[in-house]
Amino acid sequence: MTTRRLVLTRSAAVMGAASTGLLLPEIVRAQSGRIRVGFMLPYTGTYATLGVAIENGVRMGIDEKGGKLGGRDIDWFKIDDESEPSKGVENAQRLVQRDKVDVLIGTVHSGVQMGIHRVVREAGVLSLIPNAGVHEATRALCAPNVFRTSFTNSQPTLALGKPMFDKGVRRAVWITHKYAAGDQAFEGFRDSFTKAGGTVVKELGLPFPQVEFQALLTEIASLKPDAVACFFAGAAAVKFIRDYAAAGLKDKIPLWGSGFLTEGLLDAAGPAAEGIMTTLHYSDSLDTPRNKQFRTAFATKFKLQPDVYAVQGYDTGLLLAQGMAAVKGDSGNKQALYKALETQTIDSPRGKWSMSKAHNPIQDIYLRIAEKGENKVIGIAAKALADSGAGCKMG
Ligand code: PHB
């Protein structure tokens, strides 16, 4: 008898249990047990404030849906990835193999994301990307278990070239941190600006996370373009904005960028940020009841003003809570869970959005100007913009 029981496979054991009426407790245990959710985010370095905003947003989104996932209580796990790509795989493995998370939420930096992506694709663990825009994650390397709630790196800048051209910019310089986020943002800018009729006269860059901008600013001054367009975010963006003004360029050569340039830092950047024009899928000044209600609730809860990163985290929390509710907490039924995640509409402070086939938001991109500590919306630069999802084959 003992020997026979030992050689039973798990499914045979479950079938046996079913025939004796014992299946019910097993199912109940699977659906009501605690669920393990891991954050892999930067809590130190250039993008530290972005990581904190995202975690706050996720928690708030889930709290608003009752604080559980499909009825299950949550055990949280947390790793500081330092925006360090060389530690990406190892950190993701810690969450997946050591902590055995059911869901991995991360991260901010595109290079680190590629490490997470390798691990979750192999392990088949649900991966929610609350920021990093690296194209591959929802293009050639897309996967059924990977969902992004933010943007692809070229999505905001695909809407940047035309408004610049329309404002009279004909010759532009591009400057960025040289890694996937900046290089892919450039693709969007180059394509939209040249299509509108403009010329990119020079591409400038420096390695992440360096912030020694002086030589590059001197070069910009001597090139005398009509405008500069850029990708910088977090603490590096604050320094770039301030250095740009201190070099005397602010009033001579207008500064444009993907909207990360002015997110969560207008107070820190001060008057140097006035007049910067950007494109992004969110703006703090969006005049909708939904955005106002979110901003008040977030500021009350965390004593911090929300930014695009907080919104992306919040939407990640909503997506996860809604998806888990749809499958009544049965995260083991992956096919049903992924289907539920694919088909949700997210009632976001940025405006309602849904997932593309490749699992990236289809969303409006706003044109904004930084004025008196606010990103003021000027208009919609692109309506319901979907990433191409080029090369994505699910399954
Ligand atoms: C990225 O590395 O993908 C990234 C980082 C910060 C941003 C946007 C994109 O604000």
Side-chain angles (χ1 to χ4, degrees), residues 308-321:
V308 71
Y309 310 107
V311 171
Q312 292 166 178
Y314 180 70
D315 290 3
T316 306
L318 294 184
L319 175 70
L320 183 56

Side-chain angles (χ1 to χ4, degrees), residues 158-292:
L158 264 177
L160 183 61
K162 181 153 186 332
M164 285 180 70
F165 188 85
D166 290 347
K167 276 264 177 193
V169 180
R170 297 292 176 267
R171 299 170 62 257
V173 166
W174 171 259
I175 181 167
T176 186
H177 266 146
K178 285 294 291 174
Y179 75 104
D183 292 342
Q184 295 177 346
F186 175 66
E187 286 177 31
F189 170 64
R190 178 199 59 210
D191 291 357
S192 58
F193 187 58
T194 54
K195 191 169 158 217
T199 307
V200 180
V201 292
K202 185 102 189 196
E203 277 181 71
L204 299 171
L206 74 174
F208 180 90
Q210 285 178 24
V211 287
E212 299 311 319
F213 299 118
Q214 215 46 56
L216 297 166
L217 294 171
T218 304
E219 193 171 349
I220 289 171
S222 70
L223 286 164
K224 294 191 178 55
D226 299 331
V228 169
C230 69
F231 166 83
F232 291 110
V238 178
K239 183 160 190 299
F240 182 71
I241 290 171
R242 289 170 152 257
D243 287 3
Y244 194 85
L249 296 175
K250 177 175 154 37
D251 297 322
K252 293 197 193 113
I253 307 171
L255 183 57
W256 296 68
S258 59
F260 308 110
L261 182 65
T262 55
E263 278 300 304
L265 49 75
L266 287 177
D267 286 346
E274 281 292 298
I276 295 176
M277 295 188 70
T278 58
T279 46
L280 198 65
H281 48 285
Y282 178 65
S283 176
D284 30 291
S285 72
L286 274 177
D287 192 12
T288 60
R290 182 73 181 96
N291 186 42
K292 286 183 173 156

